């Protein structure tokens, strides 16, 4: 057992290998740092974490080192003494900040990072209020083409090299480098080789100042207007924990949320920039029903009873000819409600899993310079481009013991053997779409085709009823990722005015009163389906719960 | 707490003399103020609306968006004014600027003059002295839409007030690092404007 003394307070760090920043953090003392990041190697170049350090001698006396040392580079040992609030340590921090600000342009009003900038925050907490710099600042030109999604504001850079180390250690693609030396040092790329790897967006989050900015978010909002919600990325089965940032119910950006159980510190660009369909103008905004061969907008008051009647009629004719398709984009709660609704009509109703979009192979990082994956794997972009196949499959297995594939539904429908198909889709728009024109034509041979989706598709064009679905950012629920980690979705934005959440539609179909409340339904799900038993309390904390 | 007896001072009302009992000196004293203090001094009431009052320069009236020396909008779309605004009447859409000397500029800038409470916080928050309140105080319109002043309208208020001389350009400062405007040429010693 090792004990570290942080500002006179004893902190037990057990047997873990920590540096002094982490050890002090355990004691509730924050040591400012720029270049150090828990997922990257230590370079101790920014000098922001300078502290006074000493060792406890065998006789119990403390011997302090004669100078301040970087906390990120100093391992915490038994008896290490850290002092961050002495005059000398404070002076070192203020001096470091002043030196970092020598060439910083202080264009905070037009900088996209302002409000979440560590240079601002630390200057406020640890620095001095006024600049003594009177000479002209060194202002190298911006590099707008450093990557397809990122722009470098060269003059704001403080040379912490987090971005350079990220491309070398995590993505392994090593596009970024430090060019020139001393005051003239700049982040740069090799000529004609922009930073376009699939994890490139992370350098924007890593950048502690406003040097690297995301072109997607640039000048869209000031960050102090944004409200952040903890959620889960819905773009692949890794299920990265994310912050969903919105203002006035418009989604502006996704940022990775550190979660060692899910993905670590980062997220991929497909997920990060793939949310724009949530704000799309093309969305299905209200329920529609087919009358005289044409889809016409209708109200929920008209559609829900008609839908209930038509489904009940189809089930009465032949229960086994009614199929509900549950997409892997549904939350576990929604899948459970829909399965319960159909199974309550008749035990013969078949439940199928919607198409599981798969693109290529699992893409692991880091890569070597030939693009081949290198062990140990630090980040994986899964080939399975849906967040909740496992969760929906477990629900299906519980209700009917087996999982019927979407292809079987299309085949049966094409042969004209089905009476009704309820496709709860909710797919985001991705190349190829979830249903091809041929598959849609085959589905349309079923007399009662209900399509619940976010955006129009070939299937919704041929459906008898079209019901709006909502995206991951607009609903609450649980996603189970590839490894069986159940994570909670939180509602970040309101769905468009006339859209009801999928869970609410299913509740209304069941004629169960009240509004959908994810924790309640989660508790019911945990009670009924043994796989979800660890969720019995109904609540899921920020990191999620590992199921089996 | 009761008042201490030593703190209480007793005074007698002054006794009126014979002259005072006539009240005439007091009436004349009052007439002196009326005649010399007011009747014979210049009139400060104006015959509005035929005559418009001239407001003091710190009067907080209709807003204007200032132009820089090259006639471009000075605003850098930093949202400080809309953040400071207690009435939430400023709506800005920022975009990358078409000019090389600054990063961003307001693509649209809409100020709801009906919602505004004319507190002047926007003026105070602006880091580049781009938004100012003028002495214009006659603000009429026939619809709510008309009172939503957009960028062009606010710039035209600047042009008009500068041309009429009611609100001359108050400041040419507005250096926000390289964001606002390019550093001026260093003054040549001996020329006007040179620092001693």
């Amino acid at each position: 057992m090792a004990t570290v003394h942080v500002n006179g307070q004893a902190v037990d760090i057990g047997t873990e290998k920590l540096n002094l920043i982490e050890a002090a953090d355990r004691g509730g003392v924050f040591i400012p740092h720029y270049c150090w990041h828990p997922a990257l190697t230590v370079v101790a170049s920014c000098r922001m974490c300078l502290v006074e350090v000493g060792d406890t001698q065998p006789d119990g006396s403390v011997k302090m080192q004669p100078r301040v040392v970087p906390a990120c580079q100093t391992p915490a040992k038994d008896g290490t003494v850290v002092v961050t609030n002495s005059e000398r340590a404070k002076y070192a921090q203020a001096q470091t900040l002043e030196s970092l600000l020598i060439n910083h342009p202080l264009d905070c009003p037009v900088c996209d990072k302002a409000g979440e900038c560590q240079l601002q925050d630390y200057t406020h907490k640890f620095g001095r209020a006024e600049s003594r710099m009177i000479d002209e600042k060194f202002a190298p030109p911006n590099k707008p083409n450093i990557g397809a999604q990122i722009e470098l504001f060269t003059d704001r850079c403080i040379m912490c090299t987090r971005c350079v180390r990220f491309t070398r250690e995590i993505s392994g693609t090593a596009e970024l480098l430090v060019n020139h030396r001393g005051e003239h040092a700049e982040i740069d790329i090799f000529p004609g080789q922009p930073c376009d790897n699939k994890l490139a967006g992370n350098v924007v989050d890593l950048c502690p100042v406003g040097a690297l900015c995301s072109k997607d978010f640039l000048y869209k909002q000031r960050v102090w207007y944004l409200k952040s919600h903890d959620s889960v990325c819905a773009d692949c089965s890794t299920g990265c924990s994310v912050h969903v940032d919105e203002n006035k119910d418009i989604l502006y950006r996704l940022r990775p949320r550190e979660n060692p159980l899910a993905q670590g510190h980062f997220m991929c660009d497909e997920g990060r920039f793939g949310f724009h369909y949530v704000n799309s103008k093309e969305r299905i905004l209200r329920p529609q029903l087919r009358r005289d061969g044409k889809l016409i907008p209708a109200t929920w008051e008209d559609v829900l009873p008609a839908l209930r009647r038509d489904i009940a009629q189809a089930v009465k004719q032949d229960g086994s000819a009614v199929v509900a398709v549950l997409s892997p984009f549904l939350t576990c709660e929604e899948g459970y409600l829909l399965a319960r609704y159909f199974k309550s009509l008749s035990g013969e109703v078949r439940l199928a899993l919607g198409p599981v979009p798969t693109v290529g192979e699992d893409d692991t990082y880091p890569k070597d310079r030939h693009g081949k994956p290198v062990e140990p794997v630090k980040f994986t972009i899964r080939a399975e481009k849906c967040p909740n196949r496992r969760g929906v499959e477990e629900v299906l297995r519980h209700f009917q013991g087996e999982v019927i594939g979407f292809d079987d539904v299309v085949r049966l429908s094409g042969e004209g053997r089905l009476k009704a198909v309820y496709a709860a889709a909710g797919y985001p728009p991705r190349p190829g779409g979830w249903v091809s024109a041929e598959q849609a034509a085959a589905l349309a041979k079923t007399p009662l085709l209900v399509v619940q989706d976010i955006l129009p598709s070939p299937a919704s064009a041929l459906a008898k009823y079209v019901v709006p679905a909502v995206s991951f950012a607009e609903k609450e629920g649980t996603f189970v990722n590839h490894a069986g980690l159940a994570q909670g979705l939180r509602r970040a934005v309101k769905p468009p005015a006339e859209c009801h959440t999928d869970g609410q539609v299913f509740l209304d179909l069941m004629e169960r009163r009240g509004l959908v409340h994810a924790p309640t339904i989660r508790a019911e799900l945990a009670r009924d389906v043994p796989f979800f038993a660890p969720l019995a309390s109904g609540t899921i904390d920020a990191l999620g719960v590992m199921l089996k | 707490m009761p008042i201490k007896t030593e703190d209480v001072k007793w005074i007698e009302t002054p006794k009126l003399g014979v002259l005072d009992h006539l009240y005439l000196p007091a009436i004349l004293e009052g007439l002196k103020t009326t005649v010399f203090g007011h009747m014979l001094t210049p009139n400060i009431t104006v015959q509005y609306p035929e005559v418009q009052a001239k407001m003091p320069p710190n009067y907080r009236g209709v807003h204007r968006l200032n132009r820089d020396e090259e006639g471009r909008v000075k605003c850098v779309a930093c949202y400080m004014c809309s953040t400071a605004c207690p009435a939430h009447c400023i709506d800005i859409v920022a975009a990358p600027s078409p000019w090389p000397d600054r990063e961003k500029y307001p693509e649209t800038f809409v100020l709801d003059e009906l919602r505004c409470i004319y507190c002047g916080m926007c003026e105070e928050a602006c880091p580049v002295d781009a938004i100012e309140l003028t002495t214009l105080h006659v603000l009429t319109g026939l619809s709510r839409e008309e009172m939503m002043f957009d960028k062009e309208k606010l710039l035209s208020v600047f042009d008009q007030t500068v041309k009429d001389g009611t609100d001359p350009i108050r400041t040419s400062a507005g250096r926000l690092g390289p964001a606002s405007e390019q550093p001026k040429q260093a003054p040549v010693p001996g020329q006007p404007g040179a620092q001693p």
Side-chain angles (χ1 to χ4, degrees):
Chain A
M1 299 296 266
T3 306
V4 179
H5 300 273
V6 183
N7 292 349
Q9 172 202 354
V11 179
D12 184 12
I13 59 166
T15 54
E16 282 180 87
K17 285 187 174 179
L18 301 178
N19 65 19
L20 292 185
I21 294 180
E22 292 166 306
D25 191 49
R26 298 280 167 92
V29 174
F30 178 72
I31 300 179
H33 54 272
Y34 290 119
C35 67
W36 180 76
H37 186 275
L40 302 174
T41 52
V42 175
V43 288
S45 67
C46 73
R47 316 308 280 183
M48 191 63 229
C49 61
L50 292 175
V51 288
E52 283 196 86
V53 172
D55 290 309
T56 311
Q57 302 295 309
D59 63 356
S61 65
V62 174
K63 194 182 169 209
M64 296 303 285
Q65 292 190 25
R67 58 194 179 101
V68 284
V69 296
C72 66
Q73 210 181 23
T74 313
K77 294 181 294 184
D78 190 28
T80 302
V81 175
V82 192
V83 181
T84 68
N85 54 5
S86 68
E87 280 308 310
R88 207 145 72 104
K90 282 190 197 162
Y91 182 68
Q93 289 162 355
Q95 290 288 300
T96 305
L97 273 169
E98 192 170 15
S99 119
L100 289 173
L101 286 170
I102 282 182
N103 274 320
H104 190 82
L106 291 176
D107 56 349
C108 305
V110 293
C111 175
D112 239 24
K113 199 79 167 190
E116 55 180 9
C117 171
Q118 285 172 33
L119 199 54
Q120 278 186 334
D121 294 351
Y122 293 176
T123 304
H124 186 65
K125 275 193 208 135
F126 307 103
R128 42 186 300 140
E130 281 179 22
S131 171
R132 292 183 293 179
M133 172 77 176
I134 47 164
D135 296 320
E136 199 169 314
K137 297 196 177 201
F138 183 61
N142 294 343
K143 292 172 187 156
N145 298 319
I146 205 154
Q149 292 289 359
I150 47 178
E151 174 163 0
L152 176 65
F153 294 86
T154 322
D155 50 354
R156 294 177 192 155
C157 179
I158 57 164
M159 297 312 293
C160 70
T161 68
R162 274 186 183 188
C163 53
V164 175
R165 280 175 287 145
F166 175 83
T167 58
R168 290 187 186 165
E169 293 161 16
I170 309 292
S171 71
T173 43
E175 295 101 338
L176 296 176
L177 67 137
V178 178
N179 202 3
H180 304 302
R181 294 170 55 175
E183 189 199 36
H184 298 274
E186 285 176 22
I187 301 296
D188 212 336
I189 46 171
F190 294 98
Q193 311 230 323
C195 183
D196 283 347
N197 65 66
K198 282 187 184 170
L199 303 179
N202 290 300
V203 298
V204 176
D205 300 323
L206 282 172
C207 186
V209 298
L212 287 161
C213 287
S214 156
K215 287 182 190 172
D216 186 61
F217 180 66
L218 197 65
Y219 306 147
K220 292 281 191 311
Q221 280 286 301
R222 300 314 309 252
V223 294
W224 53 83
Y225 291 135
L226 295 175
K227 289 171 281 298
S228 192
H229 305 263
D230 288 358
S231 193
V232 184
C233 173
D235 263 80
C236 85
S237 60
T238 299
C240 293
S241 296
V242 291
H243 295 290
V244 178
D245 290 349
E246 59 74 34
N247 179 24
K248 294 180 184 164
D249 289 319
I250 298 172
L251 195 47
Y252 283 101
R253 64 174 178 183
L254 301 186
R255 285 177 302 135
R257 176 162 59 91
E258 188 191 338
N259 186 350
L261 297 174
Q263 92 283 10
H265 293 86
F266 306 111
M267 72 184 290
C268 75
D269 283 6
E270 285 170 45
R272 182 189 296 267
F273 302 121
F275 66 86
H276 288 286
Y277 67 90
V278 176
N279 304 331
S280 169
K281 293 262 186 295
E282 312 283 299
R283 282 183 65 164
I284 299 170
L285 295 174
R286 53 186 63 81
Q288 297 162 23
L289 50 85
R290 193 170 293 278
R291 194 166 289 161
D292 307 327
K294 268 202 294 195
L295 277 176
I296 53 163
T299 60
W300 287 103
E301 288 75 27
D302 292 340
V303 166
L304 281 171
L307 199 52
R308 232 181 271 130
R309 193 188 56 231
D310 282 4
I311 292 172
Q313 209 170 10
V315 171
K316 206 185 235 174
Q317 284 173 6
D318 182 4
S320 64
V322 174
V323 179
V325 178
L326 280 67
S327 99
F329 282 85
L330 291 184
T331 63
C332 299
E333 290 83 352
E334 289 162 358
Y336 168 72
L337 285 179
L338 187 62
R340 237 177 78 178
Y341 167 61
F342 276 100
K343 286 293 179 185
S344 70
L345 295 176
S346 158
E348 288 184 324
V349 174
R350 281 182 280 188
L351 305 174
L353 180 67
V356 177
T358 309
V359 180
E361 301 274 309
D362 286 359
D363 194 8
T364 64
Y365 288 86
K367 305 246 191 255
D368 66 8
R369 62 191 188 86
H370 304 292
K372 289 208 185 73
V374 181
E375 294 287 333
V377 172
K378 291 180 178 161
F379 193 88
T380 309
I381 306 171
R382 305 266 157 199
E384 193 180 291
K385 300 293 179 199
C386 57
N388 196 28
R389 178 187 57 81
R390 273 197 74 167
V392 172
E393 268 186 11
E394 289 298 335
V395 170
L396 294 181
R397 275 205 197 93
H398 170 77
F399 278 97
Q400 64 183 14
E402 53 160 350
V403 177
I404 302 170
F406 184 63
D407 292 338
D408 292 339
V409 179
V410 173
R411 183 173 50 77
L412 288 171
S413 177
E415 290 166 6
R417 286 160 61 183
L418 297 182
K419 292 265 186 296
V421 172
Y422 188 104
Y427 285 89
R430 296 290 178 251
W434 65 275
V435 61
S436 67
E438 295 82 55
Q439 285 174 322
L443 285 176
K445 289 195 179 153
T446 301
L448 177 61
L449 174 62
V450 185
V451 175
Q452 186 172 19
D453 210 349
I454 297 175
L455 287 144
S457 68
S460 70
L462 299 171
K464 187 167 180 204
Y465 291 92
V466 177
V467 182
V470 299
S471 70
F472 72 99
E474 294 155 342
K475 57 187 179 188
E476 295 197 317
T478 313
F479 280 165
V480 181
N481 81 349
H482 71 102
L485 176 70
Q487 295 187 83
L489 285 177
R490 309 269 187 288
R491 196 179 82 161
V493 294
K494 276 189 216 137
E498 284 178 56
C499 289
H500 291 182
T501 60
D502 306 14
Q504 189 63 50
V505 176
F506 303 152
L507 273 192
D508 291 346
L509 282 175
M510 293 166 89
E511 291 183 276
R512 195 170 134 174
R513 295 173 70 183
L515 296 175
V516 69
H517 181 236
T520 308
I521 297 167
R522 194 178 291 142
E524 283 176 31
L525 169 70
R527 200 185 55 221
D528 284 4
V529 188
F531 179 77
F532 295 100
L535 305 177
S537 70
T539 52
I540 298 185
D541 67 3
L543 297 187
V545 177
M546 199 55 108
L547 306 173
K548 299 246 171 95
Chain B
M1 211 169 78
I3 302 167
K4 286 183 218 151
T5 35
E6 60 261 34
D7 288 346
V8 180
K9 230 191 245 174
W10 290 94
I11 39 174
E12 297 282 326
T13 46
K15 284 248 161 41
L16 292 183
V18 181
L19 209 58
D20 292 330
H21 270 117
L22 289 173
Y23 294 109
L24 265 175
I27 289 170
L28 289 174
E29 190 68 22
L31 274 174
K32 200 172 92 185
T33 308
T34 309
V35 174
F36 297 104
H38 294 283
M39 285 176 76
L40 298 180
T41 50
N43 209 349
I44 56 164
T45 312
V46 293
Q47 293 302 313
Y48 182 84
E50 287 80 13
V51 183
Q52 296 283 341
K54 187 171 173 3
M55 292 300 177
N58 62 345
Y59 183 81
R60 298 195 298 260
V62 180
H63 310 72
R64 70 181 186 188
L65 269 184
N66 291 348
R67 294 182 189 274
D68 63 6
E69 282 94 346
E70 294 176 43
R72 306 170 303 184
V73 61
K74 220 170 175 183
C75 171
V76 292
C78 67
Y79 291 74
M80 294 299 147
C81 51
S82 67
T83 304
C85 180
H88 302 302
C89 69
I90 304 177
D91 186 70
I92 305 172
V93 175
S97 102
W99 310 300
D101 59 338
R102 62 185 84 168
E103 315 282 4
K104 76 201 261 213
Y105 88 118
E107 199 168 36
T108 67
F109 189 109
V110 181
L111 201 153
D112 189 344
E113 296 284 350
L114 290 181
R115 203 167 181 183
C116 176
I117 58 166
Y118 299 92
C119 64
M121 297 273 229
C122 49
E123 188 176 22
E124 216 158 305
C126 185
V128 291
D129 294 337
I131 191 166
E132 280 178 346
L133 273 65
T134 66
T135 57
L136 290 190
H137 56 283
V138 184
L139 185 61
T140 50
L142 296 174
S143 64
R144 287 183 183 279
E145 289 71 37
E146 214 175 296
M147 305 303 274
M148 306 280 280
F149 279 22
D150 62 0
K151 193 171 75 176
E152 280 64 41
K153 177 77 185 164
L154 289 164
L155 283 169
S156 75
V157 175
F158 172 79
D159 295 338
Q160 186 204 327
T161 48
V162 170
K163 203 176 107 208
D164 297 352
T166 53
D167 295 87
I169 299 170
R170 289 177 210 167
T171 168
S172 63
R175 291 274 304 278
L176 170 92
S180 155
E181 46 197 55
Q182 274 178 325
K184 291 203 196 77
Q185 292 285 313
V188 183
Q191 296 280 313
Q195 296 289 320

